[in-house]
Amino acid sequence: MSKKTVLLIVGSFRKNSFNQTVADYIAEELKKDVNVEFLNYRDVPLLEQDREFPAPQSIKDVREQVGKADAVWVVSPEYNGSYPACIKKFIGLAISSISGF
């Protein structure tokens, strides 16, 4: 039986991010039991209807990687009682990849 794949998404792009440190620790602990991948979504543009169809390649890549994962874990900072815009953008992409849009 092949190992399941966990896709880790870090909600901070900042160099030396605490969230990246936490995600690295999680990956190290999980890799004994599952395949761990990190999602690179820095190149995903802001979503707007004028650029939605056809989807840019960076969006297609994110949708494909999310679609292949068995689980998605998000490690993110909290800003003003919510999560960062980059994670909100990612969640929209992830839902569209799961629902087949």
Side-chain angles (χ1 to χ4, degrees):
M1 185 166 131
S2 64
K3 286 184 173 183
K4 299 287 186 180
T5 299
V6 173
L7 183 63
L8 284 172
I9 294 94
V10 180
S12 173
F13 293 142
R14 187 178 57 81
K15 185 178 179 183
N16 300 321
S17 162
F18 175 72
N19 295 279
Q20 183 65 57
T21 302
V22 171
D24 290 339
Y25 175 81
I26 291 169
E28 189 65 32
E29 291 297 311
L30 288 178
K31 75 178 185 180
K32 299 173 227 167
D33 301 313
V34 298
N35 295 319
V36 178
E37 297 177 4
F38 281 88
L39 180 68
N40 180 358
Y41 60 104
R42 282 181 178 259
D43 295 334
V44 172
L46 291 174
L47 296 179
E48 56 183 275
Q49 288 182 332
D50 293 338
R51 295 184 65 186
E52 191 171 359
F53 300 104
Q57 188 61 46
S58 59
I59 292 176
K60 291 176 185 178
D61 293 343
V62 166
R63 287 177 175 161
E64 182 180 336
Q65 196 170 1
V66 170
K68 289 180 179 178
D70 295 298
V72 175
W73 285 23
V74 178
V75 180
S76 177
E78 178 253 332
Y79 294 120
N80 298 323
S82 188
Y83 41 90
C86 63
I87 292 295
K88 292 176 185 179
K89 178 173 62 171
F90 162 75
I91 289 172
L93 289 174
I95 289 171
S96 67
S97 70
I98 294 168
S99 62
F101 287 104

